[in-house]
Amino acid sequence: MPPFRMPSPRRAAPALALTLLASGSAVSATTAATAETTAATAPASSSAGRAWFTSWAQSQQELAPTPLRDQSVRMITHLGQGGGALRVRIQNTFGTTPLTVDAATVGHSAGDGAAVEGDVLPVTFDGRREVVVPAGGEVWSDAAALKTRAQDDVAVSLSVSGTVAPGRHTGAFRSNYLTVPGSGDHTAEASGDAYTQTVGSTYLVSAVDVHNPKLRGTIVAYGSSVVDGTGSTDCGPGCTPEGTDHRWTDDLARRITAELPRTRQLAIANAGIGGTTSSADCPRNPAGIRGLDAASRLDRDVLALHGVTGVLYYYGTNDLANGCDAELILRSYDAVFERLRAAGIKVYVTPITPRPGYTDRNNLDRHTVGTHVKKGNTCDGTCDGVMDFDQVLKDPLKPNSINPAYDTGDGIHANIAGQRALADYVSLPMLLSSTAHR
């Protein structure tokens, strides 16, 4: 069986993960591809792969400007929920040549640089140490018996052979690590000493699943920069944030862990890409976001993830700025929502949030979209619920602007306080309603 898949339209007991690995029946790349194809066409309540849930994601969006050459990468992934085993997705979506990974490992991040705390576990692909991901393709690993908890950081290390331009998610909002070119395989080393280069992007790794049959579902946040995390490193003038992971989706994941019963837990995955739009047809969309609109990347960034029961849809600000009117925006909403709901995934939508640079025409279109979204709190029957983020962020004195307490200073993005306010506003019972069929 080929160890790769071309793009397609909880906590488990440790003994289970070890049994899967020992028996050779761990979920392989090929098996995962079958499960993903099923997930894209069948209701999310399908029994296939119900114990696997995507617990971290960062959507690939472009190729890194500097190629990798016979070196190792160590990417730090922050899990919304944990489990008894995990598996990782490696993408070569934007690559023009095959990507050869000759070794991969996972381990708990020590929280200080590139070091790993405890065991460094090997990761295989259909039982093999090496995998070749073709140009435009992706691969899911076999299960690795690394036990994790909610909000754990996991280091995913890959050794890349040859010279290849890696796909990346541009803004990781944390540090990731590379060894020097030509240094070869350092994936099995707990020490971070060899990882001397720091990057602010996430290379190659785009999702981590956890094996946890106690979880009820994965909720995917889908949108542009405020979903992606722009503003989440800003706590105000003269302030330095404590640690990382201050996006509203990170805060929401922590709320879920703290406030929901252990038998009603959900994972949160972030599928935001800054600068993108819901509609592909906005007249001023720049070339750099072509193919990254909501419909074009829906398969790989939402439907190909596992255990997805709901989507938090936060788009529209860039659509208006790039010349889309309400009709084009709502047309794109309808197309995406129809596909998600056909897959058994519930859709929760925020009206477009304020932006002081909008023209009067933009604000009229923003009002039209918001009125449609709030109609019956179901987007006139096309979605399943509403998150009034526009009301959370607006300045009470200037409602077409962001509240100064939440503004990074650019009038567009929410700072850490604003991110927390968004997370606090989300209704957890609403999210749980997406799992009613499970």
Side-chain angles (χ1 to χ4, degrees):
M1 290 185 290
F4 57 82
R5 179 181 68 80
M6 296 301 290
S8 66
R10 207 163 97 147
R11 188 168 286 132
L16 171 59
L18 291 170
T19 300
L20 286 171
L21 292 167
S23 67
S25 61
V27 178
S28 68
T30 305
T31 306
T34 303
E36 291 157 11
T37 302
T38 301
T41 58
S45 58
S46 170
S47 61
R50 288 182 66 172
W52 286 103
F53 297 87
T54 300
S55 188
W56 172 90
Q58 281 195 333
S59 302
Q60 295 273 289
Q61 63 190 100
E62 64 179 6
L63 293 177
T66 303
L68 298 174
R69 182 175 63 82
D70 295 317
Q71 63 192 111
S72 298
V73 305
R74 181 161 284 174
M75 302 290 113
I76 311 301
T77 64
H78 182 72
L79 303 184
Q81 295 284 358
L86 57 76
R87 61 190 182 190
V88 300
R89 180 171 72 167
I90 301 170
Q91 282 187 288
N92 194 21
T93 300
F94 299 96
T96 58
T97 60
L99 165 72
T100 299
V101 175
D102 54 22
T105 64
V106 292
H108 289 280
S109 171
D112 181 20
V116 172
E117 185 175 54
D119 294 335
V120 180
L121 301 183
V123 174
T124 59
F125 305 87
D126 276 341
R128 296 188 289 272
R129 190 167 179 262
E130 178 182 293
V131 67
V132 177
V133 189
E138 64 179 49
V139 59
W140 285 90
S141 76
D142 302 330
L146 183 71
K147 292 195 297 182
T148 54
R149 297 177 297 179
Q151 282 79 62
D152 274 359
D153 284 350
V154 171
V156 181
S157 305
L158 308 173
S159 174
V160 176
S161 292
T163 300
V164 64
R168 69 172 180 172
H169 181 88
T170 303
F173 300 102
R174 70 180 312 140
S175 294
N176 286 310
Y177 306 96
L178 313 177
T179 63
V180 297
S183 59
D185 179 13
H186 291 271
T187 58
E189 298 172 10
S191 167
D193 291 349
Y195 293 87
T196 56
Q197 298 185 18
T198 301
V199 293
S201 300
T202 300
Y203 287 7
L204 303 176
V205 181
S206 63
V208 176
D209 284 358
V210 296
H211 189 272
N212 187 341
K214 292 183 180 179
L215 289 179
R216 301 301 301 271
T218 289
I219 305 295
V220 180
Y222 197 45
S224 53
S225 56
V226 180
V227 174
D228 193 3
T230 301
S232 66
T233 58
D234 184 340
C235 55
C239 171
T240 300
E242 293 185 10
T244 56
D245 310 305
H246 296 296
R247 299 173 301 176
W248 65 269
T249 52
D250 300 318
D251 288 332
L252 179 58
R254 287 187 280 269
R255 272 193 65 205
I256 288 170
T257 302
E259 297 177 26
L260 289 181
R262 291 182 62 185
T263 57
R264 306 283 283 173
Q265 291 286 302
L266 299 161
I268 299 291
N270 189 307
I273 296 180
T276 58
T277 56
S278 180
S279 174
D281 299 323
C282 301
R284 293 193 296 275
N285 276 352
I289 65 166
R290 188 170 297 129
L292 295 176
D293 59 276
S296 295
R297 66 187 186 95
L298 187 67
D299 282 326
R300 67 176 178 266
D301 290 344
V302 179
L303 294 175
L305 304 181
H306 296 102
V308 178
T309 58
V311 164
L312 309 180
Y313 200 84
Y314 189 166
Y315 269 114
T317 56
N318 293 326
D319 295 71
L320 291 175
N322 293 350
C324 263
D325 59 15
E327 181 180 357
L328 282 173
I329 294 170
L330 291 175
R331 188 185 304 163
S332 70
Y333 282 17
D334 288 345
V336 173
F337 299 171
E338 181 178 9
R339 290 177 60 194
L340 289 170
R341 298 178 90 196
I345 297 170
K346 291 196 173 182
V347 185
Y348 308 109
V349 184
T350 177
I352 301 174
T353 48
R355 190 164 172 167
Y358 288 150
T359 65
D360 289 344
R361 178 72 258 173
N362 289 154
N363 279 316
L364 286 172
D365 286 322
R366 186 167 78 89
H367 176 75
T368 298
V369 172
T371 300
H372 175 83
V373 167
K374 294 180 183 182
K375 189 171 183 181
N377 280 331
T378 63
C379 311
D380 198 18
T382 63
C383 71
D384 300 280
V386 175
M387 308 173 295
D388 290 312
F389 284 179
D390 58 326
Q391 299 302 306
V392 176
L393 293 182
K394 76 176 183 181
D395 184 339
L397 300 180
K398 300 177 181 178
N400 290 328
S401 298
I402 294 178
N403 188 326
Y406 297 155
D407 191 354
T408 60
D410 64 7
I412 301 170
H413 298 104
N415 60 21
I416 288 176
Q419 304 272 340
R420 189 176 302 117
L422 294 176
D424 288 345
Y425 186 82
V426 176
S427 165
L428 300 188
M430 180 184 74
L431 300 188
L432 278 174
S433 71
S434 72
T435 71
H437 53 278
R438 285 185 58 83

